[in-house]
Amino acid sequence: MKIGAVMFFTTDSMRPAPLAMELEKRGFESLWVPEHTHIPSSRKTAYPAGGGLIRPYYDIMDPFLVLNAAATVTTKLKVGTGIALIVQRDPIITAKAVATIDQLSNGRFLFGVGNGWNQDEIENHGTAFKSRHKLARERIEAMKAIWANEEPEYHGEFVKFDKMKMWPKPYQKPHPPIIVGGRLEYAAKRAFRYGDGWIPRDDWLETEGIQSIHTFRKMAADAGRDPKSLPISVFRHPDNLDRLKLCQDLEIDRVVFTLPAEKADKLMPILDRWSELKRQLG
């Protein structure tokens, strides 16, 4: 079972390059970065996890620039968006960004995607909140066409372009893994339709039950997908050895622990704690 870390990088936090080197030195598999372009002051949308948003939601840096900085100083560490808000991104520009970072990292990019919860933020990008799921699907399909073809074209309801030329193509073939984030009832069908994996959060598994892991795999088989082709990456995993062993027994592909947006003096003890857990896990 692979172990990675996710962090909101801000101007006040540890920089991505030194953190990436520390993660790689300790044998961790991956570094993930969330995405929020901004947080509207209106705050009409309640935070799904409850309570107020922490400051890093407002301060977070661009994930692709952060991950490229991390990839530049490492050779094995995988770098991933956890998650990229596809409904807020132009698909042609995003396809180029994904292909570029995948080339520069020699195939170490993981494309975590999601459709977002903040209606205010989404609508500031010109996206209708109610139709965002179909828009996300079309953008993913359009990006796949761009990556796979010398003269891609796409004609959907929301995404439309005639034949064009666009390089580079991704290092990974046919493209980096597209790992779909979201609760089971929302994300499963999207993962089956256009994804290469699923990202649930550990706290969701707590409330919905570990049974949801088995449910996801059965739903995948019923949808004609091999469950082994859709690995599960559990985010926000606690530093609990018994919980890690449970995930290992369930054949979870990856667990990802959360790092606070802090400097090195606060982060190194957390990395050391997780290094010890990784050693105990074997």
Side-chain angles (χ1 to χ4, degrees):
M1 187 172 66
K2 309 175 188 77
I3 300 178
V6 60
M7 179 170 155
F8 284 71
F9 286 89
T10 73
T11 55
D12 296 323
S13 74
M14 188 176 182
R15 296 288 168 151
L19 178 60
M21 289 189 286
E22 291 292 343
L23 287 168
E24 184 167 85
K25 182 171 70 175
R26 288 168 169 78
F28 291 108
E29 182 249 2
S30 51
L31 171 63
W32 302 75
V33 180
E35 178 173 44
H36 282 280
T37 54
H38 68 295
I39 298 295
S41 298
S42 61
R43 299 298 298 114
K44 290 184 294 186
T45 308
Y47 180 41
L53 284 178
I54 58 173
R55 179 80 190 187
Y57 275 83
Y58 301 77
D59 290 352
I60 188 170
M61 294 177 172
D62 177 88
F64 285 90
L65 294 175
V66 166
L67 293 171
N68 190 56
T72 299
V73 296
T74 54
T75 58
K76 297 180 181 178
L77 187 75
K78 294 187 177 181
V79 294
T81 48
I83 48 81
L85 296 172
I86 297 304
V87 297
Q88 299 178 188
R89 287 187 154 270
D90 177 272
I92 299 173
I93 293 173
T94 305
K96 183 175 283 285
V98 168
T100 299
I101 194 170
D102 197 48
Q103 281 288 344
L104 293 175
S105 66
N106 292 323
R108 289 184 284 137
F109 183 64
L110 303 168
F111 195 21
V113 302
N115 296 356
W117 56 267
N118 192 331
Q119 181 174 349
D120 319 46
E121 179 183 356
I122 289 168
E123 291 181 345
N124 280 357
H125 287 272
T127 292
F129 190 71
K130 288 185 178 180
S131 58
R132 72 193 188 283
H133 302 309
K134 184 172 184 179
L135 173 66
R137 174 177 58 78
E138 288 193 5
R139 287 182 173 174
I140 294 289
E141 289 174 352
M143 286 189 281
K144 285 186 174 183
I146 291 170
W147 294 326
N149 300 297
E150 291 200 2
E151 285 193 300
E153 61 180 315
Y154 188 87
H155 302 280
E157 179 180 347
F158 300 108
V159 180
K160 303 178 180 71
F161 53 82
D162 293 327
K163 287 185 178 180
M164 65 176 182
K165 297 178 174 64
M166 198 283 277
W167 278 267
K169 305 299 184 185
Y171 185 97
Q172 299 176 80
K173 303 302 179 189
H175 51 72
I178 298 171
I179 311 175
V180 180
R183 289 180 180 271
L184 177 67
E185 64 268 34
Y186 305 126
K189 291 181 180 179
R190 297 174 209 150
F192 305 152
R193 184 161 187 170
Y194 55 72
D196 306 298
W198 177 42
I199 298 174
R201 284 185 356 207
D202 186 80
D203 53 329
W204 294 341
L205 298 180
E206 281 288 335
T207 57
E208 297 170 1
I210 288 295
Q211 180 60 35
S212 59
I213 297 294
H214 303 296
T215 301
F216 175 82
R217 289 170 173 159
K218 182 181 184 303
M219 289 172 64
D222 291 344
R225 293 290 304 269
D226 180 358
K228 292 182 179 179
S229 73
L230 294 162
I232 298 171
S233 301
V234 179
F235 271 48
R236 298 193 182 184
H237 200 284
D239 59 348
N240 180 290
L241 184 60
D242 289 338
R243 186 75 174 179
L244 284 166
K245 288 180 177 178
L246 174 61
C247 284
Q248 194 172 56
D249 291 342
L250 290 168
E251 298 184 327
I252 298 297
D253 184 66
R254 174 187 295 112
V255 298
V256 180
F257 62 92
T258 302
L259 290 170
E262 300 283 357
K263 298 288 190 184
D265 62 328
K266 300 288 181 61
L267 299 185
M268 292 306 102
I270 300 174
L271 296 190
D272 291 341
R273 163 66 176 158
W274 274 94
S275 294
E276 177 58 22
L277 288 170
K278 184 161 66 68
R279 186 194 66 78
Q280 294 178 35
L281 196 61

